[in-house]
Amino acid sequence: MKFLHRLILKNFILILHQCQTTIKKQKLFESEVPTVKVNKIRMRETVISYAFLAPVLIFFTVFVLAPMIMGFITSFFNYSMTSFEFVGLDNYIRMFKDPVFTKSLINTVILVIGSVPVVVLFSLFVASQTYQQNAVARSFYRFVFFLPVVTGSVAVTVVWKWIYDPLSGILNFVLKSSNIISQNISWLGDKNWALLAIMIILLTTSVGQPIILYIAAMGNIDNSLVEAARVDGATEFQVFWKIKWPSLLPTTLYIAIITTINSFQCFALIQLLTSGGPNYSTSTLMYYLYEKAFQLTEYGYANTIGVFLAIMIAIVSFVQFKVLGNDVEY
């Protein structure tokens, strides 16, 4: 009997153990099934996402990334319509010894230094004044200031070419009528005035978007903080510097970087108005690159200028981000 009892007990324990093992396996299987389904769902969503991104990724790879890599590689070659020869750093050495490149670099830096601060300050001032108007006036002013942005560069250039015309231009007419000048000035033909004339056009076409952005940013400022500061006796300057300016810093950072990049890449105005003249007094790095690549077919040397310009823009943008970005609160 004892043996039978032991046998029955042993079999019962074995069956219980087998049941527990079966239950564990079943739970494990049940827990694995949803995981597999979740993985399948995630995989399907990933595939669908990349399928939607594929056209943009292909476009970016073929028309942006690949040309950038090819441009960097060919900057080490004597690449033209008739030759393709590896020259190492000769193009870069030639670039820094090129007096026209130096002049174009100086003109580009002058445009950047002269336009970026003015665009930021003028846009901020106009936006602050516009924001105080009623909704109808605010919409009208936004339309007026944004109009040059959406207008084609060719149309804008034709208008300014007429304004600067040395014989029948309205600018000379107004200045002579005001007795500011005694004789007509060839604004685009005089090396002393040509770059300034280009800078004025660049400024008028660059302030539209920043004004719109600043007006939108001012709408996100907490008015309760402004009112509380005024109740406490803060001056308008203190209200602006302590409350409004920190809220406008992200927008200012964006505007400064975008305006800097656009100023470095100034090309259409120069190509349509002066073609870099007179005597390269309005030539910029972008125009000099265009001239070398598409007029003289020196593609390798042009790509060298492009690499230098890209590095210069990256360094300046990085410095701006470090200077303005440290105090930015998102």
Side-chain angles (χ1 to χ4, degrees):
M1 291 292 295
K2 289 183 179 180
F3 174 76
L4 183 61
H5 289 163
R6 288 178 180 177
L7 181 62
I8 293 173
L9 183 60
K10 185 178 181 180
N11 289 334
F12 177 77
I13 294 173
L14 181 62
I15 293 172
L16 182 61
H17 179 70
Q18 289 178 349
C19 290
Q20 290 176 346
T21 304
T22 303
I23 292 173
K24 289 181 180 180
K25 289 182 179 180
Q26 186 176 0
K27 289 183 178 180
L28 181 62
F29 176 76
E30 290 177 355
S31 63
E32 288 179 351
V33 170
T35 303
V36 173
K37 289 182 179 180
V38 169
N39 290 336
K40 288 183 178 180
I41 293 173
R42 288 178 178 175
M43 180 63 69
R44 184 173 60 186
E45 290 178 349
T46 303
V47 172
I48 294 174
S49 301
Y50 279 106
F52 279 108
L53 288 174
V56 178
L57 291 176
I58 293 173
F59 181 88
F60 177 80
T61 302
V62 174
F63 294 103
V64 178
L65 186 60
M68 287 175 60
I69 297 174
M70 292 176 60
F72 176 74
I73 293 174
T74 53
S75 67
F76 299 99
F77 287 79
N78 182 19
Y79 179 27
S80 64
M81 294 292 290
T82 58
S83 64
F84 188 78
E85 178 186 1
F86 180 76
V87 293
L89 296 176
D90 287 355
N91 284 333
Y92 290 90
I93 296 172
R94 173 190 171 190
M95 179 181 67
F96 288 110
K97 292 182 178 180
D98 187 352
V100 178
F101 168 80
T102 304
K103 199 166 189 177
S104 301
L105 175 60
I106 293 173
N107 292 337
T108 303
V109 172
I110 291 174
L111 284 178
V112 172
I113 295 176
S115 61
V116 175
V118 174
V119 167
V120 172
L121 295 176
F122 180 79
S123 301
L124 181 59
F125 173 76
V126 173
S128 62
Q129 298 301 314
T130 304
Y131 185 74
Q132 298 174 7
Q133 307 298 320
N134 57 58
V136 176
R138 195 184 308 164
S139 300
F140 173 75
Y141 286 124
R142 281 188 295 189
F143 166 76
V144 169
F145 285 110
F146 198 70
L147 188 61
V149 179
V150 297
T151 306
S153 59
V154 176
V156 173
T157 302
V158 170
V159 172
W160 278 99
K161 194 170 185 178
W162 170 73
I163 293 174
Y164 284 144
D165 189 278
L167 298 178
S168 58
I170 190 173
L171 181 58
N172 278 328
F173 174 77
V174 171
L175 294 178
K176 286 182 68 176
S177 300
S178 305
N179 294 322
I180 297 176
I181 60 175
S182 58
Q183 58 183 2
N184 290 343
I185 297 176
S186 179
W187 299 102
L188 299 175
D190 190 337
K191 64 179 182 179
N192 297 320
W193 295 102
L195 189 62
L196 178 61
I198 294 294
M199 188 182 299
I200 292 174
I201 304 175
L202 183 62
L203 290 173
T204 59
T205 56
S206 300
V207 296
Q209 187 181 26
I211 290 174
I212 302 300
L213 293 175
Y214 270 132
I215 292 175
M218 288 177 182
N220 296 325
I221 298 175
D222 191 352
N223 288 327
S224 62
L225 297 177
V226 176
E227 293 174 359
R230 287 172 177 168
V231 169
D232 290 339
T235 62
E236 288 299 322
F237 177 78
Q238 290 174 329
V239 170
F240 172 80
W241 187 251
K242 296 295 184 179
I243 299 176
K244 294 183 179 180
W245 179 245
S247 301
L248 296 175
L249 265 179
T251 305
T252 303
L253 175 62
Y254 173 80
I255 291 172
I257 293 176
I258 294 301
T259 307
T260 300
I261 294 174
N262 292 337
S263 299
F264 270 115
Q265 296 179 343
C266 181
F267 167 75
L269 296 177
I270 296 168
Q271 200 269 338
L272 294 171
L273 288 174
T274 64
S275 298
N279 193 24
Y280 293 101
S281 61
T282 59
S283 177
T284 60
L285 291 180
M286 276 297 296
Y287 181 79
Y288 192 48
L289 185 155
Y290 160 81
E291 184 181 70
K292 287 295 183 182
F294 299 104
Q295 294 182 0
L296 302 177
T297 66
E298 297 181 18
Y299 303 118
Y301 186 56
N303 286 331
T304 304
I305 300 174
V307 170
F308 175 83
L309 180 61
I311 294 174
M312 192 173 182
I313 292 175
I315 293 174
V316 174
S317 300
F318 176 79
V319 172
Q320 288 178 324
F321 194 87
K322 280 296 182 181
V323 172
L324 296 175
N326 290 333
D327 298 327
V328 171
E329 296 179 1
Y330 296 97

PDB file of all heavy atoms in Angstrom, residues 92-105:
ATOM      1  N   TYR A  92      43.232  74.798 -54.628  1.00  0.00           N
ATOM      2  CA  TYR A  92      43.095  75.586 -53.407  1.00  0.00           C
ATOM      3  C   TYR A  92      44.237  76.593 -53.287  1.00  0.00           C
ATOM      4  O   TYR A  92      44.017  77.741 -52.856  1.00  0.00           O
ATOM      5  CB  TYR A  92      43.077  74.657 -52.191  1.00  0.00           C
ATOM      6  CG  TYR A  92      41.815  73.830 -52.101  1.00  0.00           C
ATOM      7  CD1 TYR A  92      41.737  72.579 -52.700  1.00  0.00           C
ATOM      8  CD2 TYR A  92      40.701  74.312 -51.436  1.00  0.00           C
ATOM      9  CE1 TYR A  92      40.579  71.816 -52.625  1.00  0.00           C
ATOM     10  CE2 TYR A  92      39.531  73.562 -51.351  1.00  0.00           C
ATOM     11  CZ  TYR A  92      39.481  72.327 -51.950  1.00  0.00           C
ATOM     12  OH  TYR A  92      38.327  71.585 -51.873  1.00  0.00           O
ATOM     13  N   ILE A  93      45.439  76.202 -53.666  1.00  0.00           N
ATOM     14  CA  ILE A  93      46.567  77.138 -53.648  1.00  0.00           C
ATOM     15  C   ILE A  93      46.328  78.265 -54.650  1.00  0.00           C
ATOM     16  O   ILE A  93      46.556  79.447 -54.356  1.00  0.00           O
ATOM     17  CB  ILE A  93      47.875  76.395 -53.964  1.00  0.00           C
ATOM     18  CG1 ILE A  93      48.172  75.368 -52.865  1.00  0.00           C
ATOM     19  CG2 ILE A  93      49.036  77.372 -54.102  1.00  0.00           C
ATOM     20  CD1 ILE A  93      49.347  74.459 -53.181  1.00  0.00           C
ATOM     21  N   ARG A  94      45.844  77.894 -55.825  1.00  0.00           N
ATOM     22  CA  ARG A  94      45.539  78.898 -56.844  1.00  0.00           C
ATOM     23  C   ARG A  94      44.446  79.838 -56.371  1.00  0.00           C
ATOM     24  O   ARG A  94      44.506  81.058 -56.628  1.00  0.00           O
ATOM     25  CB  ARG A  94      45.100  78.189 -58.128  1.00  0.00           C
ATOM     26  CG  ARG A  94      44.595  79.120 -59.214  1.00  0.00           C
ATOM     27  CD  ARG A  94      43.955  78.338 -60.341  1.00  0.00           C
ATOM     28  NE  ARG A  94      43.278  79.214 -61.286  1.00  0.00           N
ATOM     29  CZ  ARG A  94      42.486  78.786 -62.261  1.00  0.00           C
ATOM     30  NH1 ARG A  94      42.265  77.484 -62.425  1.00  0.00           N
ATOM     31  NH2 ARG A  94      41.897  79.647 -63.073  1.00  0.00           N
ATOM     32  N   MET A  95      43.453  79.300 -55.660  1.00  0.00           N
ATOM     33  CA  MET A  95      42.330  80.116 -55.196  1.00  0.00           C
ATOM     34  C   MET A  95      42.804  81.223 -54.255  1.00  0.00           C
ATOM     35  O   MET A  95      42.401  82.388 -54.396  1.00  0.00           O
ATOM     36  CB  MET A  95      41.307  79.217 -54.491  1.00  0.00           C
ATOM     37  CG  MET A  95      40.092  79.957 -53.949  1.00  0.00           C
ATOM     38  SD  MET A  95      38.943  78.840 -53.112  1.00  0.00           S
ATOM     39  CE  MET A  95      39.940  78.350 -51.692  1.00  0.00           C
ATOM     40  N   PHE A  96      43.660  80.873 -53.297  1.00  0.00           N
ATOM     41  CA  PHE A  96      44.113  81.874 -52.328  1.00  0.00           C
ATOM     42  C   PHE A  96      45.097  82.867 -52.929  1.00  0.00           C
ATOM     43  O   PHE A  96      45.330  83.931 -52.351  1.00  0.00           O
ATOM     44  CB  PHE A  96      44.736  81.181 -51.115  1.00  0.00           C
ATOM     45  CG  PHE A  96      43.729  80.491 -50.237  1.00  0.00           C
ATOM     46  CD1 PHE A  96      43.674  79.116 -50.161  1.00  0.00           C
ATOM     47  CD2 PHE A  96      42.820  81.242 -49.501  1.00  0.00           C
ATOM     48  CE1 PHE A  96      42.739  78.486 -49.352  1.00  0.00           C
ATOM     49  CE2 PHE A  96      41.877  80.618 -48.693  1.00  0.00           C
ATOM     50  CZ  PHE A  96      41.835  79.238 -48.621  1.00  0.00           C
ATOM     51  N   LYS A  97      45.661  82.551 -54.078  1.00  0.00           N
ATOM     52  CA  LYS A  97      46.552  83.476 -54.771  1.00  0.00           C
ATOM     53  C   LYS A  97      45.828  84.295 -55.828  1.00  0.00           C
ATOM     54  O   LYS A  97      46.425  85.201 -56.421  1.00  0.00           O
ATOM     55  CB  LYS A  97      47.710  82.711 -55.423  1.00  0.00           C
ATOM     56  CG  LYS A  97      48.687  82.082 -54.429  1.00  0.00           C
ATOM     57  CD  LYS A  97      49.815  81.382 -55.148  1.00  0.00           C
ATOM     58  CE  LYS A  97      50.830  80.786 -54.170  1.00  0.00           C
ATOM     59  NZ  LYS A  97      51.950  80.091 -54.884  1.00  0.00           N
ATOM     60  N   ASP A  98      44.564  83.981 -56.063  1.00  0.00           N
ATOM     61  CA  ASP A  98      43.784  84.639 -57.112  1.00  0.00           C
ATOM     62  C   ASP A  98      43.292  86.004 -56.615  1.00  0.00           C
ATOM     63  O   ASP A  98      42.504  86.070 -55.664  1.00  0.00           O
ATOM     64  CB  ASP A  98      42.602  83.753 -57.492  1.00  0.00           C
ATOM     65  CG  ASP A  98      41.853  84.290 -58.698  1.00  0.00           C
ATOM     66  OD1 ASP A  98      42.153  85.415 -59.151  1.00  0.00           O
ATOM     67  OD2 ASP A  98      40.964  83.580 -59.192  1.00  0.00           O
ATOM     68  N   PRO A  99      43.707  87.118 -57.211  1.00  0.00           N
ATOM     69  CA  PRO A  99      43.264  88.448 -56.753  1.00  0.00           C
ATOM     70  C   PRO A  99      41.771  88.673 -56.959  1.00  0.00           C
ATOM     71  O   PRO A  99      41.143  89.384 -56.165  1.00  0.00           O
ATOM     72  CB  PRO A  99      44.108  89.420 -57.588  1.00  0.00           C
ATOM     73  CG  PRO A  99      44.524  88.637 -58.786  1.00  0.00           C
ATOM     74  CD  PRO A  99      44.659  87.223 -58.344  1.00  0.00           C
ATOM     75  N   VAL A 100      41.194  88.077 -58.012  1.00  0.00           N
ATOM     76  CA  VAL A 100      39.758  88.238 -58.240  1.00  0.00           C
ATOM     77  C   VAL A 100      38.969  87.500 -57.162  1.00  0.00           C
ATOM     78  O   VAL A 100      37.938  87.990 -56.685  1.00  0.00           O
ATOM     79  CB  VAL A 100      39.380  87.726 -59.645  1.00  0.00           C
ATOM     80  CG1 VAL A 100      37.871  87.854 -59.870  1.00  0.00           C
ATOM     81  CG2 VAL A 100      40.137  88.503 -60.716  1.00  0.00           C
ATOM     82  N   PHE A 101      39.458  86.321 -56.771  1.00  0.00           N
ATOM     83  CA  PHE A 101      38.812  85.597 -55.681  1.00  0.00           C
ATOM     84  C   PHE A 101      38.864  86.409 -54.392  1.00  0.00           C
ATOM     85  O   PHE A 101      37.864  86.498 -53.660  1.00  0.00           O
ATOM     86  CB  PHE A 101      39.493  84.241 -55.464  1.00  0.00           C
ATOM     87  CG  PHE A 101      39.081  83.552 -54.191  1.00  0.00           C
ATOM     88  CD1 PHE A 101      37.897  82.852 -54.120  1.00  0.00           C
ATOM     89  CD2 PHE A 101      39.878  83.634 -53.051  1.00  0.00           C
ATOM     90  CE1 PHE A 101      37.510  82.231 -52.938  1.00  0.00           C
ATOM     91  CE2 PHE A 101      39.501  83.022 -51.880  1.00  0.00           C
ATOM     92  CZ  PHE A 101      38.317  82.318 -51.818  1.00  0.00           C
ATOM     93  N   THR A 102      40.002  87.013 -54.105  1.00  0.00           N
ATOM     94  CA  THR A 102      40.139  87.837 -52.895  1.00  0.00           C
ATOM     95  C   THR A 102      39.169  89.009 -52.922  1.00  0.00           C
ATOM     96  O   THR A 102      38.517  89.322 -51.915  1.00  0.00           O
ATOM     97  CB  THR A 102      41.580  88.351 -52.765  1.00  0.00           C
ATOM     98  OG1 THR A 102      42.484  87.248 -52.768  1.00  0.00           O
ATOM     99  CG2 THR A 102      41.761  89.155 -51.491  1.00  0.00           C
ATOM    100  N   LYS A 103      39.049  89.634 -54.087  1.00  0.00           N
ATOM    101  CA  LYS A 103      38.132  90.767 -54.215  1.00  0.00           C
ATOM    102  C   LYS A 103      36.688  90.314 -54.054  1.00  0.00           C
ATOM    103  O   LYS A 103      35.875  90.983 -53.396  1.00  0.00           O
ATOM    104  CB  LYS A 103      38.332  91.441 -55.574  1.00  0.00           C
ATOM    105  CG  LYS A 103      37.792  92.854 -55.646  1.00  0.00           C
ATOM    106  CD  LYS A 103      38.326  93.564 -56.880  1.00  0.00           C
ATOM    107  CE  LYS A 103      37.979  95.041 -56.848  1.00  0.00           C
ATOM    108  NZ  LYS A 103      38.558  95.775 -58.002  1.00  0.00           N
ATOM    109  N   SER A 104      36.362  89.166 -54.630  1.00  0.00           N
ATOM    110  CA  SER A 104      35.007  88.626 -54.499  1.00  0.00           C
ATOM    111  C   SER A 104      34.702  88.253 -53.061  1.00  0.00           C
ATOM    112  O   SER A 104      33.581  88.458 -52.577  1.00  0.00           O
ATOM    113  CB  SER A 104      34.848  87.402 -55.412  1.00  0.00           C
ATOM    114  OG  SER A 104      35.091  87.733 -56.763  1.00  0.00           O
ATOM    115  N   LEU A 105      35.699  87.714 -52.363  1.00  0.00           N
ATOM    116  CA  LEU A 105      35.519  87.362 -50.960  1.00  0.00           C
ATOM    117  C   LEU A 105      35.266  88.610 -50.116  1.00  0.00           C
ATOM    118  O   LEU A 105      34.368  88.620 -49.253  1.00  0.00           O
ATOM    119  CB  LEU A 105      36.755  86.614 -50.449  1.00  0.00           C
ATOM    120  CG  LEU A 105      36.789  86.267 -48.956  1.00  0.00           C
ATOM    121  CD1 LEU A 105      35.619  85.379 -48.587  1.00  0.00           C
ATOM    122  CD2 LEU A 105      38.113  85.605 -48.594  1.00  0.00           C
TER     123      LEU A 105
END
